[in-house]
Amino acid sequence: MSELSPAALLSNLKTRRVVNRGFAVLGILAIAIATLILLVLLSQMLIRGLPRFSGDFFLSFPSRFPEKAGILSAWVGTILVMLVTVTAAVPLGIASGIYLEEYAPKNWLSDFIEVNVTNLAGVPSIIYGLLALGLFVYNLGMGDSILTAGLTLALLILPIVVVTTREALRAVPTNIREAAYATGATKWQVTWDHVLRYSLSSIMTGVIIGLSRAIGETAPLITIGALTYIAFLPEPPLNPDFPFVPLTARFPFLNFQQLFAWLHAPFTVMPIQVFNWVSLPDKDFHINAAAAGSVLIGMTLTMNAFAIYLRHRFRKGIKW
Amino acid sequence: MVDESQTSEPVIAVKSGVELKAQAKDLNFFYGDNRVLKNVNLPVPDRKVTALIGPSGCGKTTLLRCFNRMHDLYPGNRYEGEIRLDALNILSRQVDPIEVRMRVGMVFQRPNPFPKSIYENVAYSLRVRGRIRRSILDEYVEGALTRAALWSEVKDRLQEPAFTLSGGQQQRLCIARALVSEPELLLLDEPTSALDPIATDSIENLLNELKSQVSILIVTHSMQQAARFSDYTAFMYLGKMLEFGNTTNLFAKPTNPKTEDYLSGRVG
Ligand SMILES: Nc1ncnc2c1ncn2[C@@H]1O[C@H](COP(=O)(O)OP(=O)(O)OP(=O)(O)O)[C@@H](O)[C@H]1O
Ligand SMILES: [Mg+2]
């Protein structure tokens, strides 16, 4: 029993401590390297782009002259496309997640769907572009519009939203569900009043992770025919003066055509703009690219900050 | 009630004249292929406390959860036989489990308040039933919390989250949540197993007062607890109901040797 003698145990403890510390050091090192590389890259880009940062950069269209070229059409395009993406992907994704997790009978069909949805999350984005080109552009005749782009990206992030929704719902403990059922609640009441409510923060996080991916996508949008140079904005849905909403004299008294005209407008988005500038031979445009890239990073960070805020907001008071 | 021999099925019955709120008749229950309840008979007398005792794993929780069709939530579970609630066979396919759960309240082994305010926890049982005026909700919530002996402790903090309560208070909150909708039958699964003696005592007192209004079926591991405040006791063993009777009689002179062994601490 010499291995279990006090002396042996003590020396053994020493080695165990060393191994334990060893990993801690290794872990810190790994994190430091990763963050350092990221920070250097980001700050390099930020510093390169710095000379272009001004109000004009945000308010000008692209131009042949690097100093005059701005990102107005690109950031407006990105925001509008994201708006369509959120509107389509969030309700569809969350509803599918709820159905699959809470309602669908557990059989081979739901297993099959589950495997496929999970795999869809890993399909290369260009494939979604091809799919959208066939379906939205050719079959449905929606053209290279903001609507097509938004729906394409919605398809792209749909699996992410579905999967994170399911995971979030699954994290709600059984005893809380049973407590709710025991009061005489229906499945929908249990889902809506409890399960969904308590998992909302995680679902939101999933949605925003999805959007962060979508906002940087270039390939599928180029596939469906996004423009690389565009010098006008979509027609605004609202009028500049009172009552702002476009009214008509006839039923339904609202000019829907104007209200939704922007959906059919051609567009470009931030990553395409960046790509375009980088690929130009004139080195001065690379400064524009760096500046636009920084703005894109800023947009993503803002979204993530919003996700953190939401998580805090909804997580308050939820504990089991 | 006489137990003829060990091999024959025990006779589970109450004296004539005792009114029943519910009754399990030849109940079998299966988790998939695993038959956990075997021809169980259990009368639940009206507005009395019936204690369900037996060694761990004998099927007490399983039996209790048949009374509000909780097993319906999971696929593969199957009932055979009958449970009458008054005249209605609640295991019948035509009966909606939600309808059953609206009449039968349940308190679980571990306190499981919703992550909502104290008020909302209790009010929820009523809210699921439809739109109810705030003044009525207030009145019922206060009534239920009072009956659960919790009102004086929480009346100034109704909007605080329920998890700020202590374990014993949370369990009383869960009792209030079950009581607020005025169930006819209240099921409790070892409600005091996670509590200290003082909190246990307050819950026992509370159940004692409640039994004038509601029939109570309670699973307990503590024979002292069963002896202290139940009117009837049922003894289960390996998925079978071996003995049922008036608590005083059953503890004084159990007819089945297995019951005797259990009560004297030789089993379970
Ligand atoms: N969800 C389930 N699936 C399959 N078998 C189960 C399930 N729940 C319980 N069982 C089995 O059913 C039997 C009875 O379990 P039950 O929980 O009813 O016992 P119990 O009398 O409440 O025990 P305890 O006093 O320990 O709570 C056990 O053998 C258990 O293994
Ligand atoms: Mg149990």
Side-chain angles (χ1 to χ4, degrees):
Chain A
M1 295 299 276
S2 66
E3 294 99 326
L4 291 177
S5 72
L9 287 180
L10 212 62
S11 80
N12 214 332
L13 177 59
K14 268 188 203 128
T15 16
R16 288 195 285 147
R17 276 207 199 108
V18 169
V19 172
N20 186 34
R21 288 228 189 91
F23 179 76
V25 171
L26 220 71
I28 290 174
L29 222 66
I31 292 181
I33 291 172
T35 19
L36 208 72
I37 293 177
L38 218 67
L39 268 179
V40 167
L41 287 177
L42 284 185
S43 45
Q44 207 183 18
M45 183 167 76
L46 198 66
I47 291 165
R48 277 202 78 190
L50 219 49
R52 287 284 182 274
F53 276 116
S54 68
D56 279 348
F57 185 64
F58 290 92
L59 296 177
S60 321
F61 289 108
S63 138
R64 281 185 293 127
F65 308 103
E67 316 80 52
K68 282 200 201 157
I71 55 169
L72 180 60
S73 45
W75 71 257
V76 170
T78 285
I79 287 177
L80 293 180
V81 169
M82 283 298 119
L83 203 67
V84 176
T85 304
V86 173
T87 316
V90 168
L92 276 180
I94 294 182
S96 321
I98 290 175
Y99 180 79
L100 288 175
E101 191 57 34
E102 303 288 325
Y103 279 80
K106 304 278 171 278
N107 54 24
W108 66 268
L109 185 62
S110 53
D111 286 348
F112 181 75
I113 292 177
E114 164 148 28
V115 169
N116 279 286
V117 170
T118 318
N119 283 341
L120 276 182
V123 169
S125 57
I126 187 91
I127 305 294
Y128 285 96
L130 292 174
L131 188 88
L133 185 67
L135 181 66
F136 298 137
V137 181
Y138 294 143
N139 284 343
L140 300 177
M142 281 156 43
D144 50 350
S145 60
I146 289 176
L147 183 63
T148 307
L151 294 181
T152 308
L153 295 183
L155 281 185
L156 183 81
I157 68 166
L158 206 52
I160 302 178
V161 178
V162 174
V163 170
T164 44
T165 299
R166 295 190 62 177
E167 271 162 13
L169 297 178
R170 216 173 300 158
V172 175
T174 326
N175 63 357
I176 300 276
R177 290 167 201 262
E178 289 193 348
Y181 278 115
T183 65
T186 59
K187 185 175 277 197
W188 175 245
Q189 287 176 313
V190 174
T191 306
W192 180 255
D193 296 338
H194 300 280
V195 180
L196 193 57
R197 216 134 293 202
Y198 309 151
S199 51
L200 211 54
S201 70
S202 318
I203 294 178
M204 293 289 191
T205 311
V207 167
I208 289 175
I209 290 173
L211 289 180
S212 307
R213 174 164 179 208
I215 204 173
E217 279 298 342
T218 324
L221 299 189
I222 292 181
T223 315
I224 61 165
L227 302 180
T228 45
Y229 174 86
I230 185 163
F232 56 90
L233 290 181
E235 191 187 339
L238 302 181
N239 294 326
D241 30 48
F242 191 80
F244 307 115
V245 188
L247 298 174
T248 55
R250 273 178 303 119
F251 186 81
F253 309 113
L254 215 54
N255 187 346
F256 282 105
Q257 201 159 2
Q258 184 185 342
L259 213 52
F260 292 114
W262 61 272
L263 283 174
H264 304 291
F267 68 98
T268 193
V269 290
M270 293 291 293
I272 293 181
Q273 185 66 73
V274 173
F275 175 71
N276 182 28
W277 277 332
V278 172
S279 54
L280 291 177
D282 186 346
K283 285 270 183 284
D284 280 355
F285 274 113
H286 295 187
I287 303 177
N288 292 42
S294 306
V295 173
L296 186 56
I297 294 275
M299 287 171 128
T300 318
L301 287 182
T302 312
M303 272 192 331
N304 281 294
F306 188 59
I308 293 170
Y309 165 76
L310 282 179
R311 197 153 36 194
H312 270 272
R313 194 54 226 285
F314 286 113
R315 240 200 156 334
K316 229 188 263 166
I318 293 177
K319 221 180 181 182
W320 35 68
Chain B
M1 201 184 93
V2 208
D3 184 37
E4 301 89 348
S5 77
Q6 265 197 265
T7 45
S8 75
E9 289 289 315
V11 184
I12 305 290
V14 283
K15 283 206 208 79
S16 58
V18 176
E19 253 185 71
L20 297 184
K21 181 72 218 176
Q23 186 170 23
K25 289 180 179 171
D26 290 322
L27 178 67
N28 287 288
F29 181 80
F30 302 79
Y31 288 112
D33 295 330
N34 182 11
R35 180 167 168 224
V36 170
L37 298 181
K38 294 159 188 160
N39 294 321
V40 164
N41 286 289
L42 174 69
V44 182
D46 192 26
R47 274 164 293 167
K48 294 280 187 275
V49 176
T50 305
L52 200 50
I53 61 171
S56 184
C58 69
K60 306 180 294 295
T61 299
T62 307
L63 175 57
L64 196 72
R65 288 162 66 93
C66 291
F67 279 84
N68 67 346
R69 300 263 307 257
M70 218 52 180
H71 295 300
D72 286 39
L73 296 179
Y74 307 100
N77 295 346
R78 189 158 56 84
Y79 315 86
E80 264 173 22
E82 281 185 11
I83 294 180
R84 298 257 162 212
L85 182 64
D86 295 330
L88 180 74
N89 175 16
I90 58 172
L91 297 185
S92 144
R93 273 184 198 288
Q94 282 83 44
V95 174
D96 184 349
I98 291 166
E99 214 175 295
V100 176
R101 294 180 199 133
M102 285 170 68
R103 296 174 61 186
V104 179
M106 184 165 208
V107 177
F108 297 78
Q109 183 165 1
R110 310 175 96 242
N112 55 356
F114 302 130
K116 294 180 185 280
S117 70
I118 294 171
Y119 181 94
E120 276 308 321
N121 259 278
V122 182
Y124 188 72
S125 290
L126 295 175
R127 287 197 198 277
V128 290
R129 286 158 166 76
R131 256 179 215 295
I132 293 165
R133 255 180 299 144
R134 181 74 190 204
S135 57
I136 295 182
L137 275 183
D138 287 349
E139 185 187 313
Y140 272 74
V141 169
E142 176 172 348
L145 285 170
T146 309
R147 283 194 289 162
L150 191 59
W151 177 250
S152 58
E153 288 157 68
V154 300
K155 64 174 189 289
D156 300 320
R157 44 190 288 209
L158 290 173
Q159 295 312 323
E160 281 179 38
F163 67 77
T164 59
L165 297 173
S166 76
Q169 288 173 325
Q170 287 185 14
Q171 194 59 304
R172 278 179 280 155
L173 182 68
C174 294
I175 294 178
R177 181 175 67 194
L179 285 177
V180 73
S181 51
E182 302 185 336
E184 302 159 39
L185 173 62
L186 185 60
L187 309 171
L188 301 111
D189 192 354
E190 300 184 45
T192 59
S193 67
L195 305 180
D196 70 14
I198 296 175
T200 302
D201 212 47
S202 75
I203 286 181
E204 281 179 19
N205 290 337
L206 158 71
L207 294 180
N208 246 326
E209 280 166 31
L210 285 177
K211 73 179 182 195
S212 59
Q213 306 153 25
V214 51
S215 312
I216 295 176
L217 180 58
I218 178 171
V219 172
T220 172
H221 255 134
S222 149
M223 282 167 277
Q224 290 87 338
Q225 187 171 59
R228 260 196 311 268
F229 75 97
S230 72
D231 303 295
Y232 293 88
T233 298
F235 174 68
M236 272 185 90
Y237 188 77
L238 296 179
K240 290 189 178 158
M241 188 62 69
L242 288 196
E243 190 157 358
F244 173 88
N246 182 294
T247 299
T248 336
N249 294 346
L250 188 135
F251 274 82
K253 39 179 189 335
T255 49
N256 191 306
K258 281 277 180 345
T259 317
E260 201 176 344
D261 287 351
Y262 183 72
L263 292 179
S264 59
R266 266 172 284 169
V267 182

